[in-house]
Amino acid sequence: MHVNARKHFAIPPDERVRLAEIDPGDTGSFTAEADAHQATHDALAAIADLQYRLYAEHRHALLIVLQAMDAGGKDGTIRHVFGALSPLSAYAHAFKEPTPEEAAHDFLWRVHKVTPGHGEIAIFNRSHYEDVLVVRVHDLVPEKVWSKRYARINAFEKTLVRGNTTILKFFLHISRDEQLRRFAQRLDDPAHQWKISESDYTERAYWDDYMRAYEAVLEKTSTARAPWYVIPADRKWFRNWAVAQIVAETLRTIDPKTRAPSVDIEEIRAKYHEVERSEHGA
Ligand code: ATP
Ligand code: MG
């Protein structure tokens, strides 16, 4: 598993997925948090180094999609894994309920605008997938509209890939029990009480509908060019390890190379020496 986390957690294209058969409490070959500590640390260091090369090369973009149920750990993953990135060429974008302006446009309008440019890494906290998740679960548009969106999403992602964007999509898979435990922790911890919303509890009642909607997403939109990864996420440290590992492996595959300088270095060096001589009288 340490060798190829991408292969281990990826959902193969067109595969029927049953989330009930994937254990959210899985910790792979680790038995305790301490076992994963060094590997996570190494992956984060590799990510930071490769981000710099991605930025310097200015040829590839990396888009990371994070989806999860409420309290699934999207914010924590951004803090613990993507906190290793330099804000110089990385950003996170949270997708909320569409504003009136967004709602008056095609569902992909607001998404395309915030995709990463060459050299950049973007993290989507929720994404265009909400338009076949919450929208499907609550019938926010008719079925004949949302059912056509899977193909539209695949076509959109294909367009991004053609433009040299690598796409990684993570579903942070927590159990119902773990969600309730996290809600309880939030209630008890004044520092986290702000995170609780009325809708957390009402949405929980739709858990099974959400699982079905996620299974449809995984089956219809996990493609070779933009795969979905289902990450067992009840253990936060395992989730962090798995996501960090997959991002590091992906960046290594992109293998960004520092660009050749656009100027003649010897010429600049000669000028530099000239300036040095005149200013210091050497
Ligand atoms: P946290 O997990 O920390 O609560 P969050 O991502 O849930 O963060 P909120 O502001 O609580 O952030 O919720 C954003 C809400 O917007 C979610 O309930 C989500 O389902 C909803 N949303 C996002 N995109 C769409 C969309 N296209 N249509 C309808 N609702 C959407
Ligand atoms: Mg919320």
Side-chain angles (χ1 to χ4, degrees), residues 2 30 34-45 241 244-245 248 252:
H2 292 229
F30 302 119
D35 302 341
H37 187 81
Q38 189 62 44
T40 305
H41 182 271
D42 292 349
L44 294 180
W241 169 80
Q245 199 67 26
R252 276 193 202 105

Side-chain angles (χ1 to χ4, degrees), residues 70 126 195 197 199-200:
D70 287 310
R126 301 187 190 270
K195 277 200 158 193
S197 67
S199 76
D200 289 349

Side-chain angles (χ1 to χ4, degrees), residues 136-272:
R136 169 174 165 159
V137 168
H138 291 291
D139 299 314
L140 300 182
V141 301
E143 177 168 355
K144 71 176 198 325
V145 175
W146 60 251
S147 61
K148 295 194 181 87
R149 288 181 174 171
Y150 302 98
R152 301 254 344 261
I153 288 173
N154 286 337
F156 169 63
E157 293 181 355
K158 186 172 176 180
T159 303
L160 297 182
V161 171
R162 287 245 168 98
N164 257 4
T165 300
T166 299
I167 305 174
L168 297 176
K169 302 179 292 199
F170 293 104
F171 172 57
L172 310 177
H173 181 38
I174 59 163
S175 63
R176 267 191 99 134
D177 288 350
E178 179 64 16
Q179 186 191 54
L180 203 57
R181 266 194 297 277
R182 292 186 187 180
F183 284 171
Q185 280 165 6
R186 288 179 182 184
L187 281 174
D188 291 343
D189 178 357
H192 284 105
Q193 283 169 351
W194 68 272
K195 277 200 158 193
I196 301 168
S197 67
E198 198 78 53
S199 76
D200 289 349
Y201 291 91
T202 50
E203 287 307 285
R204 185 176 159 77
Y206 295 94
W207 185 279
D208 292 337
D209 293 341
Y210 270 107
M211 290 305 112
R212 274 198 294 277
Y214 269 110
E215 286 170 349
V217 160
L218 297 169
E219 191 179 324
K220 294 174 196 289
T221 66
S222 197
T223 57
R225 70 174 79 85
W228 272 103
Y229 298 91
V230 175
I231 307 296
D234 275 5
R235 303 284 166 272
K236 294 172 182 173
W237 58 267
F238 185 74
R239 170 202 77 199
N240 292 342
W241 169 80
V243 173
Q245 199 67 26
I246 291 166
V247 173
E249 280 173 22
T250 302
L251 283 166
R252 276 193 202 105
T253 307
I254 296 173
D255 192 21
K257 308 261 192 307
T258 310
R259 264 187 299 178
S262 56
V263 294
D264 182 335
I265 291 292
E266 287 317 314
E267 200 177 298
I268 302 271
R269 204 191 302 279
K271 277 194 188 131
Y272 170 80

Side-chain angles (χ1 to χ4, degrees), residues 111-151:
V111 185
H112 207 154
K113 286 199 295 190
V114 291
T115 52
H118 292 158
E120 290 181 332
I121 300 178
I123 299 114
F124 283 1
N125 185 348
R126 301 187 190 270
S127 63
H128 42 300
Y129 285 97
E130 291 293 322
D131 292 279
V132 285
L133 290 165
V134 65
V135 167
R136 169 174 165 159
V137 168
H138 291 291
D139 299 314
L140 300 182
V141 301
E143 177 168 355
K144 71 176 198 325
V145 175
W146 60 251
S147 61
K148 295 194 181 87
R149 288 181 174 171
Y150 302 98

